[in-house]
Amino acid sequence: LAAQGNYVYVTGYNSDRLVVVDISNPDNPTITGSVQDTTNLNGAFGVAVSGNYAYVTANIGDRLTVVDISNPAAPSVVGN
């Protein structure tokens, strides 16, 4: 997982997903958005965040996928 500001970014290995969690209220973290991609995030297991992008590594297919997180409610894959 990776944190930036009020958000934590979590990968889902079995769900091929990147999930955005709002942690502005630590007593009540909430899922803000997510993106699922069975090709580019297949076996997603690592994430790093810089600026408006999350860089996700995926075990299956040995991929590095770039996800635009400028809108935490609607992250989107922009490249790999």
Short mmCIF file of all heavy atoms in Angstrom, two decimals:
data_model
loop_
_atom_site.label_atom_id
_atom_site.label_comp_id
_atom_site.label_asym_id
_atom_site.label_seq_id
_atom_site.Cartn_x
_atom_site.Cartn_y
_atom_site.Cartn_z
N LEU A 1 0.84 -1.16 0.00
CA LEU A 1 0.00 0.00 0.00
C LEU A 1 0.89 1.23 0.00
O LEU A 1 2.05 1.18 0.35
CB LEU A 1 -0.99 -0.01 1.17
CG LEU A 1 -0.43 0.08 2.58
CD1 LEU A 1 -0.56 1.48 3.10
CD2 LEU A 1 -1.20 -0.88 3.45
N ALA A 2 0.29 2.35 -0.39
CA ALA A 2 0.99 3.64 -0.40
C ALA A 2 0.03 4.71 0.09
O ALA A 2 -1.18 4.61 -0.12
CB ALA A 2 1.46 3.96 -1.81
N ALA A 3 0.58 5.72 0.76
CA ALA A 3 -0.26 6.80 1.28
C ALA A 3 0.19 8.13 0.70
O ALA A 3 1.38 8.36 0.48
CB ALA A 3 -0.18 6.85 2.80
N GLN A 4 -0.79 9.00 0.45
CA GLN A 4 -0.52 10.36 0.01
C GLN A 4 -1.68 11.24 0.45
O GLN A 4 -2.83 10.97 0.07
CB GLN A 4 -0.35 10.42 -1.51
CG GLN A 4 -0.08 11.84 -2.02
CD GLN A 4 0.22 11.84 -3.51
OE1 GLN A 4 1.30 11.49 -3.91
NE2 GLN A 4 -0.76 12.21 -4.31
N GLY A 5 -1.40 12.25 1.24
CA GLY A 5 -2.46 13.13 1.73
C GLY A 5 -3.47 12.36 2.56
O GLY A 5 -3.11 11.61 3.46
N ASN A 6 -4.74 12.52 2.22
CA ASN A 6 -5.82 11.85 2.95
C ASN A 6 -6.19 10.50 2.38
O ASN A 6 -7.23 9.95 2.73
CB ASN A 6 -7.09 12.74 2.96
CG ASN A 6 -6.93 13.94 3.85
OD1 ASN A 6 -6.23 13.91 4.86
ND2 ASN A 6 -7.57 15.03 3.48
N TYR A 7 -5.36 9.96 1.50
CA TYR A 7 -5.71 8.71 0.82
C TYR A 7 -4.64 7.64 0.98
O TYR A 7 -3.45 7.94 1.03
CB TYR A 7 -5.94 8.96 -0.67
CG TYR A 7 -7.08 9.90 -0.93
CD1 TYR A 7 -6.85 11.24 -1.23
CD2 TYR A 7 -8.40 9.47 -0.84
CE1 TYR A 7 -7.90 12.11 -1.45
CE2 TYR A 7 -9.46 10.34 -1.06
CZ TYR A 7 -9.21 11.65 -1.36
OH TYR A 7 -10.25 12.52 -1.57
N VAL A 8 -5.11 6.41 1.04
CA VAL A 8 -4.25 5.24 1.00
C VAL A 8 -4.65 4.46 -0.24
O VAL A 8 -5.84 4.31 -0.55
CB VAL A 8 -4.40 4.36 2.26
CG1 VAL A 8 -3.66 3.06 2.13
CG2 VAL A 8 -3.90 5.11 3.48
N TYR A 9 -3.66 3.95 -0.96
CA TYR A 9 -3.87 3.18 -2.19
C TYR A 9 -3.46 1.74 -1.91
O TYR A 9 -2.35 1.48 -1.48
CB TYR A 9 -3.05 3.79 -3.32
CG TYR A 9 -3.41 5.24 -3.53
CD1 TYR A 9 -2.81 6.25 -2.80
CD2 TYR A 9 -4.43 5.58 -4.42
CE1 TYR A 9 -3.18 7.58 -2.96
CE2 TYR A 9 -4.81 6.91 -4.58
CZ TYR A 9 -4.18 7.90 -3.84
OH TYR A 9 -4.57 9.21 -4.01
N VAL A 10 -4.41 0.83 -2.13
CA VAL A 10 -4.24 -0.57 -1.77
C VAL A 10 -4.46 -1.43 -3.01
O VAL A 10 -5.43 -1.24 -3.75
CB VAL A 10 -5.24 -0.99 -0.68
CG1 VAL A 10 -5.02 -2.43 -0.25
CG2 VAL A 10 -5.17 -0.04 0.52
N THR A 11 -3.56 -2.39 -3.23
CA THR A 11 -3.74 -3.31 -4.36
C THR A 11 -4.50 -4.54 -3.91
O THR A 11 -4.45 -4.94 -2.76
CB THR A 11 -2.38 -3.75 -4.93
OG1 THR A 11 -1.59 -4.34 -3.89
CG2 THR A 11 -1.63 -2.59 -5.54
N GLY A 12 -5.21 -5.13 -4.87
CA GLY A 12 -5.93 -6.38 -4.63
C GLY A 12 -5.40 -7.44 -5.58
O GLY A 12 -5.75 -7.43 -6.76
N TYR A 13 -4.56 -8.31 -5.06
CA TYR A 13 -3.92 -9.34 -5.89
C TYR A 13 -4.95 -10.23 -6.58
O TYR A 13 -4.89 -10.44 -7.78
CB TYR A 13 -2.98 -10.19 -5.03
CG TYR A 13 -2.20 -11.22 -5.81
CD1 TYR A 13 -0.98 -10.89 -6.36
CD2 TYR A 13 -2.69 -12.51 -5.97
CE1 TYR A 13 -0.26 -11.82 -7.09
CE2 TYR A 13 -1.97 -13.45 -6.69
CZ TYR A 13 -0.76 -13.10 -7.24
OH TYR A 13 -0.05 -14.03 -7.96
N ASN A 14 -5.90 -10.73 -5.82
CA ASN A 14 -6.89 -11.66 -6.37
C ASN A 14 -8.02 -10.97 -7.12
O ASN A 14 -8.72 -11.60 -7.91
CB ASN A 14 -7.48 -12.55 -5.28
CG ASN A 14 -6.46 -13.53 -4.75
OD1 ASN A 14 -5.64 -14.05 -5.50
ND2 ASN A 14 -6.47 -13.78 -3.47
N SER A 15 -8.19 -9.68 -6.89
CA SER A 15 -9.29 -8.96 -7.56
C SER A 15 -8.81 -8.08 -8.72
O SER A 15 -9.63 -7.41 -9.35
CB SER A 15 -10.05 -8.10 -6.54
OG SER A 15 -9.18 -7.11 -6.00
N ASP A 16 -7.47 -8.08 -8.98
CA ASP A 16 -6.91 -7.30 -10.09
C ASP A 16 -7.37 -5.85 -10.00
O ASP A 16 -7.90 -5.28 -10.94
CB ASP A 16 -7.32 -7.90 -11.45
CG ASP A 16 -7.00 -9.37 -11.56
OD1 ASP A 16 -5.99 -9.80 -10.97
OD2 ASP A 16 -7.76 -10.08 -12.22
N ARG A 17 -7.12 -5.23 -8.85
CA ARG A 17 -7.73 -3.94 -8.55
C ARG A 17 -6.77 -3.03 -7.78
O ARG A 17 -5.93 -3.49 -7.03
CB ARG A 17 -8.97 -4.21 -7.70
CG ARG A 17 -9.80 -3.03 -7.36
CD ARG A 17 -11.02 -3.44 -6.55
NE ARG A 17 -11.88 -4.39 -7.22
CZ ARG A 17 -12.89 -4.05 -8.03
NH1 ARG A 17 -13.15 -2.79 -8.28
NH2 ARG A 17 -13.63 -4.98 -8.59
N LEU A 18 -6.97 -1.72 -7.97
CA LEU A 18 -6.38 -0.70 -7.12
C LEU A 18 -7.54 0.02 -6.44
O LEU A 18 -8.46 0.48 -7.11
CB LEU A 18 -5.55 0.30 -7.93
CG LEU A 18 -4.95 1.45 -7.10
CD1 LEU A 18 -3.85 0.93 -6.17
CD2 LEU A 18 -4.41 2.54 -8.00
N VAL A 19 -7.49 0.09 -5.11
CA VAL A 19 -8.56 0.69 -4.32
C VAL A 19 -8.03 1.96 -3.65
O VAL A 19 -6.92 1.96 -3.11
CB VAL A 19 -9.08 -0.30 -3.25
CG1 VAL A 19 -10.16 0.33 -2.39
CG2 VAL A 19 -9.58 -1.58 -3.90
N VAL A 20 -8.84 3.01 -3.67
CA VAL A 20 -8.51 4.27 -3.02
C VAL A 20 -9.34 4.37 -1.74
O VAL A 20 -10.57 4.29 -1.80
CB VAL A 20 -8.81 5.47 -3.94
CG1 VAL A 20 -8.40 6.77 -3.26
CG2 VAL A 20 -8.12 5.31 -5.29
N VAL A 21 -8.66 4.56 -0.61
CA VAL A 21 -9.33 4.64 0.68
C VAL A 21 -9.08 6.02 1.29
O VAL A 21 -7.93 6.45 1.41
CB VAL A 21 -8.82 3.55 1.65
CG1 VAL A 21 -9.53 3.64 3.00
CG2 VAL A 21 -8.99 2.16 1.04
N ASP A 22 -10.16 6.70 1.65
CA ASP A 22 -10.07 8.00 2.31
C ASP A 22 -9.84 7.77 3.80
O ASP A 22 -10.65 7.14 4.46
CB ASP A 22 -11.37 8.77 2.10
CG ASP A 22 -11.35 10.18 2.68
OD1 ASP A 22 -10.49 10.46 3.56
OD2 ASP A 22 -12.17 11.00 2.26
N ILE A 23 -8.72 8.29 4.30
CA ILE A 23 -8.38 8.10 5.72
C ILE A 23 -8.42 9.44 6.48
O ILE A 23 -7.81 9.57 7.54
CB ILE A 23 -6.99 7.44 5.87
CG1 ILE A 23 -5.91 8.26 5.17
CG2 ILE A 23 -7.03 6.01 5.37
CD1 ILE A 23 -4.49 7.86 5.51
N SER A 24 -9.14 10.42 5.94
CA SER A 24 -9.21 11.72 6.62
C SER A 24 -9.83 11.59 8.01
O SER A 24 -9.54 12.39 8.89
CB SER A 24 -9.97 12.74 5.77
OG SER A 24 -11.27 12.29 5.49
N ASN A 25 -10.69 10.59 8.20
CA ASN A 25 -11.21 10.27 9.52
C ASN A 25 -10.69 8.87 9.87
O ASN A 25 -11.28 7.87 9.46
CB ASN A 25 -12.74 10.29 9.53
CG ASN A 25 -13.33 9.92 10.88
OD1 ASN A 25 -12.62 9.53 11.80
ND2 ASN A 25 -14.63 10.04 10.99
N PRO A 26 -9.60 8.79 10.63
CA PRO A 26 -8.98 7.49 10.91
C PRO A 26 -9.91 6.49 11.60
O PRO A 26 -9.70 5.28 11.50
CB PRO A 26 -7.79 7.83 11.82
CG PRO A 26 -7.55 9.27 11.61
CD PRO A 26 -8.86 9.89 11.23
N ASP A 27 -10.93 6.98 12.29
CA ASP A 27 -11.88 6.08 12.94
C ASP A 27 -12.89 5.50 11.97
O ASP A 27 -13.62 4.58 12.30
CB ASP A 27 -12.63 6.81 14.06
CG ASP A 27 -11.72 7.18 15.22
OD1 ASP A 27 -10.73 6.44 15.46
OD2 ASP A 27 -11.98 8.21 15.87
N ASN A 28 -12.95 6.06 10.75
CA ASN A 28 -13.92 5.61 9.78
C ASN A 28 -13.36 5.72 8.36
O ASN A 28 -13.83 6.53 7.56
CB ASN A 28 -15.21 6.44 9.91
CG ASN A 28 -16.31 5.91 9.02
OD1 ASN A 28 -16.38 4.73 8.73
ND2 ASN A 28 -17.18 6.80 8.57
N PRO A 29 -12.34 4.90 8.02
CA PRO A 29 -11.82 4.94 6.65
C PRO A 29 -12.90 4.47 5.68
O PRO A 29 -13.67 3.55 6.00
CB PRO A 29 -10.63 3.98 6.68
CG PRO A 29 -10.85 3.12 7.87
CD PRO A 29 -11.69 3.90 8.84
N THR A 30 -12.96 5.11 4.52
CA THR A 30 -13.99 4.74 3.54
C THR A 30 -13.38 4.57 2.16
O THR A 30 -12.45 5.29 1.78
CB THR A 30 -15.09 5.81 3.46
OG1 THR A 30 -14.50 7.08 3.14
CG2 THR A 30 -15.85 5.94 4.76
N ILE A 31 -13.91 3.63 1.42
CA ILE A 31 -13.47 3.43 0.04
C ILE A 31 -14.04 4.57 -0.80
O ILE A 31 -15.25 4.79 -0.82
CB ILE A 31 -13.92 2.06 -0.50
CG1 ILE A 31 -13.21 0.96 0.27
CG2 ILE A 31 -13.65 1.96 -1.99
CD1 ILE A 31 -13.66 -0.44 -0.08
N THR A 32 -13.15 5.26 -1.48
CA THR A 32 -13.53 6.40 -2.31
C THR A 32 -13.74 5.97 -3.75
O THR A 32 -14.65 6.43 -4.42
CB THR A 32 -12.44 7.48 -2.25
OG1 THR A 32 -12.30 7.90 -0.90
CG2 THR A 32 -12.77 8.67 -3.13
N GLY A 33 -12.87 5.10 -4.25
CA GLY A 33 -12.95 4.66 -5.63
C GLY A 33 -12.05 3.46 -5.85
O GLY A 33 -11.26 3.09 -4.98
N SER A 34 -12.16 2.88 -7.03
CA SER A 34 -11.29 1.77 -7.38
C SER A 34 -11.30 1.58 -8.89
O SER A 34 -12.18 2.08 -9.59
CB SER A 34 -11.72 0.47 -6.69
OG SER A 34 -12.92 -0.02 -7.23
N VAL A 35 -10.29 0.88 -9.35
CA VAL A 35 -10.23 0.51 -10.76
C VAL A 35 -9.83 -0.95 -10.83
O VAL A 35 -8.93 -1.40 -10.11
CB VAL A 35 -9.26 1.41 -11.56
CG1 VAL A 35 -7.85 1.36 -11.03
CG2 VAL A 35 -9.28 1.06 -13.04
N GLN A 36 -10.53 -1.71 -11.66
CA GLN A 36 -10.22 -3.11 -11.88
C GLN A 36 -9.85 -3.29 -13.34
O GLN A 36 -10.50 -2.73 -14.23
CB GLN A 36 -11.41 -4.00 -11.54
CG GLN A 36 -11.10 -5.48 -11.72
CD GLN A 36 -12.29 -6.36 -11.39
OE1 GLN A 36 -13.43 -5.97 -11.57
NE2 GLN A 36 -12.01 -7.55 -10.91
N ASP A 37 -8.79 -4.04 -13.56
CA ASP A 37 -8.33 -4.30 -14.92
C ASP A 37 -7.68 -5.68 -14.93
O ASP A 37 -6.59 -5.86 -14.41
CB ASP A 37 -7.32 -3.22 -15.34
CG ASP A 37 -6.90 -3.31 -16.79
OD1 ASP A 37 -6.71 -4.44 -17.29
OD2 ASP A 37 -6.74 -2.25 -17.42
N THR A 38 -8.38 -6.66 -15.49
CA THR A 38 -7.90 -8.04 -15.44
C THR A 38 -6.67 -8.28 -16.30
O THR A 38 -6.03 -9.32 -16.17
CB THR A 38 -9.02 -9.02 -15.84
OG1 THR A 38 -9.49 -8.69 -17.14
CG2 THR A 38 -10.17 -8.96 -14.85
N THR A 39 -6.34 -7.35 -17.18
CA THR A 39 -5.13 -7.48 -17.98
C THR A 39 -3.96 -6.76 -17.32
O THR A 39 -2.94 -7.37 -17.01
CB THR A 39 -5.34 -6.91 -19.40
OG1 THR A 39 -6.39 -7.63 -20.03
CG2 THR A 39 -4.07 -7.03 -20.23
N ASN A 40 -4.11 -5.47 -17.09
CA ASN A 40 -3.00 -4.66 -16.60
C ASN A 40 -2.76 -4.75 -15.10
O ASN A 40 -1.65 -4.49 -14.63
CB ASN A 40 -3.22 -3.20 -16.99
CG ASN A 40 -3.18 -3.02 -18.48
OD1 ASN A 40 -2.23 -3.42 -19.15
ND2 ASN A 40 -4.23 -2.43 -19.03
N LEU A 41 -3.77 -5.10 -14.33
CA LEU A 41 -3.63 -5.22 -12.88
C LEU A 41 -3.76 -6.67 -12.42
O LEU A 41 -4.07 -6.93 -11.25
CB LEU A 41 -4.66 -4.33 -12.17
CG LEU A 41 -4.55 -2.84 -12.45
CD1 LEU A 41 -5.70 -2.09 -11.79
CD2 LEU A 41 -3.21 -2.28 -12.02
N ASN A 42 -3.52 -7.60 -13.30
CA ASN A 42 -3.64 -9.03 -13.01
C ASN A 42 -2.57 -9.45 -12.01
O ASN A 42 -1.39 -9.48 -12.34
CB ASN A 42 -3.53 -9.83 -14.31
CG ASN A 42 -3.95 -11.27 -14.14
OD1 ASN A 42 -4.29 -11.71 -13.05
ND2 ASN A 42 -3.92 -12.02 -15.22
N GLY A 43 -2.98 -9.72 -10.79
CA GLY A 43 -2.03 -10.07 -9.74
C GLY A 43 -1.35 -8.85 -9.16
O GLY A 43 -0.19 -8.92 -8.74
N ALA A 44 -2.05 -7.73 -9.09
CA ALA A 44 -1.47 -6.50 -8.55
C ALA A 44 -0.98 -6.73 -7.12
O ALA A 44 -1.70 -7.27 -6.30
CB ALA A 44 -2.52 -5.39 -8.58
N PHE A 45 0.27 -6.32 -6.85
CA PHE A 45 0.79 -6.57 -5.51
C PHE A 45 1.60 -5.43 -4.93
O PHE A 45 1.93 -5.45 -3.75
CB PHE A 45 1.63 -7.86 -5.49
CG PHE A 45 2.95 -7.75 -6.22
CD1 PHE A 45 4.11 -7.39 -5.56
CD2 PHE A 45 3.02 -8.03 -7.57
CE1 PHE A 45 5.31 -7.29 -6.23
CE2 PHE A 45 4.22 -7.96 -8.25
CZ PHE A 45 5.37 -7.58 -7.58
N GLY A 46 1.93 -4.43 -5.68
CA GLY A 46 2.71 -3.33 -5.15
C GLY A 46 2.25 -2.02 -5.75
O GLY A 46 1.78 -1.99 -6.88
N VAL A 47 2.40 -0.94 -4.97
CA VAL A 47 1.98 0.37 -5.47
C VAL A 47 2.89 1.45 -4.88
O VAL A 47 3.27 1.38 -3.72
CB VAL A 47 0.50 0.65 -5.17
CG1 VAL A 47 0.22 0.66 -3.68
CG2 VAL A 47 0.04 1.95 -5.81
N ALA A 48 3.21 2.43 -5.71
CA ALA A 48 3.90 3.64 -5.29
C ALA A 48 3.13 4.81 -5.88
O ALA A 48 2.55 4.70 -6.96
CB ALA A 48 5.34 3.64 -5.78
N VAL A 49 3.11 5.93 -5.16
CA VAL A 49 2.34 7.09 -5.60
C VAL A 49 3.26 8.29 -5.70
O VAL A 49 4.09 8.53 -4.83
CB VAL A 49 1.18 7.37 -4.61
CG1 VAL A 49 0.46 8.64 -4.96
CG2 VAL A 49 0.22 6.20 -4.57
N SER A 50 3.08 9.04 -6.79
CA SER A 50 3.80 10.29 -6.99
C SER A 50 2.90 11.24 -7.75
O SER A 50 2.47 10.94 -8.87
CB SER A 50 5.10 10.05 -7.76
OG SER A 50 5.79 11.26 -7.96
N GLY A 51 2.58 12.37 -7.12
CA GLY A 51 1.71 13.34 -7.77
C GLY A 51 0.35 12.77 -8.07
O GLY A 51 -0.31 12.21 -7.20
N ASN A 52 -0.06 12.87 -9.34
CA ASN A 52 -1.38 12.39 -9.76
C ASN A 52 -1.38 10.97 -10.28
O ASN A 52 -2.36 10.55 -10.90
CB ASN A 52 -1.96 13.31 -10.84
CG ASN A 52 -2.37 14.65 -10.29
OD1 ASN A 52 -2.81 14.74 -9.15
ND2 ASN A 52 -2.24 15.69 -11.08
N TYR A 53 -0.30 10.23 -10.03
CA TYR A 53 -0.21 8.89 -10.59
C TYR A 53 0.17 7.85 -9.54
O TYR A 53 0.97 8.12 -8.64
CB TYR A 53 0.82 8.85 -11.72
CG TYR A 53 0.41 9.74 -12.87
CD1 TYR A 53 0.92 11.01 -13.00
CD2 TYR A 53 -0.55 9.32 -13.79
CE1 TYR A 53 0.51 11.85 -14.03
CE2 TYR A 53 -0.96 10.14 -14.82
CZ TYR A 53 -0.43 11.41 -14.94
OH TYR A 53 -0.84 12.23 -15.96
N ALA A 54 -0.42 6.67 -9.69
CA ALA A 54 -0.04 5.50 -8.91
C ALA A 54 0.63 4.53 -9.87
O ALA A 54 0.16 4.34 -11.01
CB ALA A 54 -1.27 4.85 -8.27
N TYR A 55 1.71 3.94 -9.43
CA TYR A 55 2.46 2.99 -10.25
C TYR A 55 2.30 1.62 -9.61
O TYR A 55 2.73 1.41 -8.48
CB TYR A 55 3.93 3.41 -10.31
CG TYR A 55 4.08 4.79 -10.90
CD1 TYR A 55 4.03 5.93 -10.10
CD2 TYR A 55 4.20 4.96 -12.28
CE1 TYR A 55 4.14 7.19 -10.65
CE2 TYR A 55 4.30 6.23 -12.83
CZ TYR A 55 4.27 7.34 -12.01
OH TYR A 55 4.36 8.59 -12.56
N VAL A 56 1.61 0.74 -10.32
CA VAL A 56 1.22 -0.55 -9.76
C VAL A 56 1.98 -1.67 -10.44
O VAL A 56 2.00 -1.76 -11.68
CB VAL A 56 -0.30 -0.78 -9.93
CG1 VAL A 56 -0.71 -2.10 -9.29
CG2 VAL A 56 -1.09 0.38 -9.32
N THR A 57 2.60 -2.53 -9.64
CA THR A 57 3.25 -3.71 -10.19
C THR A 57 2.29 -4.88 -10.12
O THR A 57 1.52 -5.01 -9.17
CB THR A 57 4.54 -4.04 -9.41
OG1 THR A 57 4.24 -4.15 -8.02
CG2 THR A 57 5.59 -2.97 -9.63
N ALA A 58 2.35 -5.71 -11.16
CA ALA A 58 1.49 -6.88 -11.22
C ALA A 58 2.34 -8.12 -11.47
O ALA A 58 3.22 -8.10 -12.33
CB ALA A 58 0.44 -6.72 -12.31
N ASN A 59 2.07 -9.14 -10.71
CA ASN A 59 2.85 -10.37 -10.77
C ASN A 59 2.61 -11.16 -12.05
O ASN A 59 3.53 -11.72 -12.61
CB ASN A 59 2.51 -11.22 -9.55
CG ASN A 59 3.45 -12.38 -9.37
OD1 ASN A 59 4.64 -12.26 -9.62
ND2 ASN A 59 2.93 -13.50 -8.91
N ILE A 60 1.39 -11.19 -12.51
CA ILE A 60 1.05 -11.99 -13.69
C ILE A 60 1.22 -11.10 -14.92
O ILE A 60 0.56 -10.09 -15.07
CB ILE A 60 -0.38 -12.54 -13.58
CG1 ILE A 60 -0.46 -13.41 -12.32
CG2 ILE A 60 -0.76 -13.31 -14.83
CD1 ILE A 60 -1.84 -13.83 -11.93
N GLY A 61 2.17 -11.47 -15.76
CA GLY A 61 2.48 -10.67 -16.93
C GLY A 61 3.62 -9.70 -16.69
O GLY A 61 4.01 -8.98 -17.60
N ASP A 62 4.16 -9.68 -15.46
CA ASP A 62 5.29 -8.81 -15.13
C ASP A 62 5.07 -7.39 -15.63
O ASP A 62 5.84 -6.85 -16.40
CB ASP A 62 6.59 -9.37 -15.69
CG ASP A 62 6.96 -10.71 -15.09
OD1 ASP A 62 6.68 -10.90 -13.89
OD2 ASP A 62 7.49 -11.55 -15.81
N ARG A 63 4.00 -6.75 -15.17
CA ARG A 63 3.63 -5.42 -15.66
C ARG A 63 3.87 -4.34 -14.61
O ARG A 63 3.75 -4.57 -13.42
CB ARG A 63 2.14 -5.39 -16.02
CG ARG A 63 1.80 -6.21 -17.21
CD ARG A 63 0.32 -6.02 -17.53
NE ARG A 63 -0.08 -6.87 -18.62
CZ ARG A 63 -0.07 -6.51 -19.90
NH1 ARG A 63 0.34 -5.32 -20.25
NH2 ARG A 63 -0.45 -7.34 -20.83
N LEU A 64 4.13 -3.15 -15.13
CA LEU A 64 4.08 -1.92 -14.35
C LEU A 64 3.00 -1.08 -15.01
O LEU A 64 3.11 -0.74 -16.19
CB LEU A 64 5.41 -1.17 -14.37
CG LEU A 64 5.38 0.21 -13.70
CD1 LEU A 64 5.13 0.07 -12.20
CD2 LEU A 64 6.68 0.94 -13.95
N THR A 65 1.96 -0.77 -14.28
CA THR A 65 0.82 -0.04 -14.82
C THR A 65 0.72 1.31 -14.16
O THR A 65 0.87 1.44 -12.95
CB THR A 65 -0.47 -0.85 -14.60
OG1 THR A 65 -0.34 -2.10 -15.30
CG2 THR A 65 -1.69 -0.12 -15.13
N VAL A 66 0.45 2.34 -14.97
CA VAL A 66 0.29 3.70 -14.48
C VAL A 66 -1.21 4.00 -14.38
O VAL A 66 -1.94 3.81 -15.35
CB VAL A 66 0.98 4.71 -15.42
CG1 VAL A 66 0.83 6.13 -14.88
CG2 VAL A 66 2.45 4.35 -15.63
N VAL A 67 -1.62 4.46 -13.20
CA VAL A 67 -3.02 4.78 -12.95
C VAL A 67 -3.13 6.26 -12.60
O VAL A 67 -2.42 6.75 -11.71
CB VAL A 67 -3.59 3.91 -11.79
CG1 VAL A 67 -5.03 4.28 -11.50
CG2 VAL A 67 -3.45 2.43 -12.11
N ASP A 68 -4.00 6.97 -13.30
CA ASP A 68 -4.27 8.37 -13.01
C ASP A 68 -5.18 8.44 -11.78
O ASP A 68 -6.29 7.91 -11.81
CB ASP A 68 -4.94 9.03 -14.21
CG ASP A 68 -5.21 10.50 -14.02
OD1 ASP A 68 -5.23 10.99 -12.87
OD2 ASP A 68 -5.41 11.19 -15.04
N ILE A 69 -4.69 9.07 -10.72
CA ILE A 69 -5.45 9.17 -9.47
C ILE A 69 -5.84 10.63 -9.18
O ILE A 69 -6.16 10.97 -8.04
CB ILE A 69 -4.68 8.56 -8.29
CG1 ILE A 69 -3.30 9.21 -8.15
CG2 ILE A 69 -4.58 7.05 -8.43
CD1 ILE A 69 -2.56 8.85 -6.88
N SER A 70 -5.81 11.48 -10.20
CA SER A 70 -6.14 12.89 -9.98
C SER A 70 -7.57 13.06 -9.48
O SER A 70 -7.87 14.02 -8.77
CB SER A 70 -5.92 13.71 -11.26
OG SER A 70 -6.69 13.22 -12.33
N ASN A 71 -8.45 12.14 -9.83
CA ASN A 71 -9.81 12.09 -9.28
C ASN A 71 -9.91 10.79 -8.48
O ASN A 71 -10.13 9.72 -9.06
CB ASN A 71 -10.86 12.13 -10.40
CG ASN A 71 -12.27 12.04 -9.85
OD1 ASN A 71 -12.49 11.88 -8.66
ND2 ASN A 71 -13.24 12.12 -10.75
N PRO A 72 -9.73 10.86 -7.15
CA PRO A 72 -9.72 9.64 -6.35
C PRO A 72 -10.99 8.79 -6.47
O PRO A 72 -10.96 7.59 -6.24
CB PRO A 72 -9.56 10.15 -4.91
CG PRO A 72 -8.96 11.50 -5.06
CD PRO A 72 -9.50 12.05 -6.35
N ALA A 73 -12.10 9.40 -6.85
CA ALA A 73 -13.35 8.67 -6.99
C ALA A 73 -13.40 7.88 -8.29
O ALA A 73 -14.22 6.97 -8.42
CB ALA A 73 -14.54 9.61 -6.92
N ALA A 74 -12.53 8.21 -9.23
CA ALA A 74 -12.55 7.54 -10.54
C ALA A 74 -11.13 7.35 -11.08
O ALA A 74 -10.76 7.93 -12.10
CB ALA A 74 -13.39 8.35 -11.51
N PRO A 75 -10.30 6.53 -10.39
CA PRO A 75 -8.97 6.28 -10.92
C PRO A 75 -9.06 5.54 -12.25
O PRO A 75 -10.02 4.78 -12.48
CB PRO A 75 -8.32 5.42 -9.84
CG PRO A 75 -9.46 4.80 -9.10
CD PRO A 75 -10.60 5.77 -9.20
N SER A 76 -8.08 5.78 -13.13
CA SER A 76 -8.14 5.12 -14.43
C SER A 76 -6.74 4.75 -14.91
O SER A 76 -5.78 5.48 -14.70
CB SER A 76 -8.82 6.02 -15.46
OG SER A 76 -8.09 7.22 -15.62
N VAL A 77 -6.66 3.60 -15.57
CA VAL A 77 -5.40 3.13 -16.14
C VAL A 77 -5.08 4.00 -17.35
O VAL A 77 -5.92 4.21 -18.22
CB VAL A 77 -5.52 1.64 -16.57
CG1 VAL A 77 -4.29 1.20 -17.35
CG2 VAL A 77 -5.72 0.76 -15.33
N VAL A 78 -3.83 4.52 -17.38
CA VAL A 78 -3.42 5.37 -18.49
C VAL A 78 -2.24 4.80 -19.28
O VAL A 78 -1.92 5.31 -20.35
CB VAL A 78 -3.10 6.81 -18.04
CG1 VAL A 78 -4.35 7.49 -17.55
CG2 VAL A 78 -2.00 6.84 -17.00
N GLY A 79 -1.62 3.76 -18.77
CA GLY A 79 -0.51 3.15 -19.51
C GLY A 79 0.11 2.00 -18.75
O GLY A 79 -0.21 1.76 -17.60
N ASN A 80 1.00 1.30 -19.45
CA ASN A 80 1.76 0.22 -18.79
C ASN A 80 3.06 0.02 -19.50
O ASN A 80 3.30 0.56 -20.55
CB ASN A 80 0.94 -1.08 -18.72
CG ASN A 80 0.60 -1.65 -20.08
OD1 ASN A 80 1.46 -1.70 -20.94
ND2 ASN A 80 -0.63 -2.05 -20.26
#
